[in-house]
């Protein structure tokens, strides 16, 4: 009961996980559609059983988890090299 009163008193808008995830996805895609990222590839272990590749792009202050989808990976002319400094063009989602 006290939790409900505290929640009402704050006037905060309540979102479901799906609502927040969709709003964040839409915001990122609308504001950063196609970008170039400069950073280091870390944690690249080749293709996963799904055919996708998972790794981290990082610099000295932050990191972003990344995916190369199977269909995109099949068309790559150069494979990602871990610990190399790269500039990558990508769509954000």
């Amino acid at each position: 009961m006290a939790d409900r009163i505290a929640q009402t008193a704050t006037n905060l808008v309540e979102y479901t996980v799906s609502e927040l995830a969709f709003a964040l996805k839409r915001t990122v895609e609308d504001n950063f559609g196609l970008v170039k990222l400069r950073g280091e590839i870390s944690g690249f272990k080749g293709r996963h059983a799904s055919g996708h590749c998972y790794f981290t792009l990082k610099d000295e202050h932050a990191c972003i988890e990344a995916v190369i989808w199977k269909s995109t990976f099949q068309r790559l002319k150069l494979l990602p090299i871990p610990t190399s400094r790269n500039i990558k063009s990508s769509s954000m989602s």
Side-chain angles (χ1 to χ4, degrees):
M1 176 84 168
D3 289 340
R4 178 172 268 195
I5 293 169
Q7 183 181 19
T8 304
T10 63
N11 292 325
L12 292 175
V13 177
E14 184 176 294
Y15 297 96
T16 65
V17 173
S18 297
E19 289 169 331
L20 181 60
F22 180 73
L24 291 170
K25 178 178 175 27
R26 188 176 57 239
T27 300
V28 168
E29 289 175 348
D30 288 350
N31 290 295
F32 301 99
L34 184 62
V35 298
K36 286 187 178 182
L37 295 175
R38 181 177 45 242
E40 182 179 313
I41 296 173
S42 174
F44 182 82
K45 295 182 175 68
R47 294 173 72 169
H48 188 267
S50 64
H52 309 317
C53 296
Y54 301 92
F55 57 97
T56 303
L57 287 171
K58 65 181 185 175
D59 64 17
E60 49 281 338
H61 302 293
C63 63
I64 298 174
E65 297 298 318
V67 177
I68 301 174
W69 304 117
K70 178 181 179 180
S71 58
T72 301
F73 185 81
Q74 292 170 339
R75 295 188 313 263
L76 289 180
K77 293 181 173 82
L78 296 172
L79 296 179
I81 301 170
T83 70
S84 64
R85 291 258 172 208
N86 293 284
I87 297 175
K88 299 294 178 201
S89 295
S90 178
S91 59
M92 301 289 286
S93 68

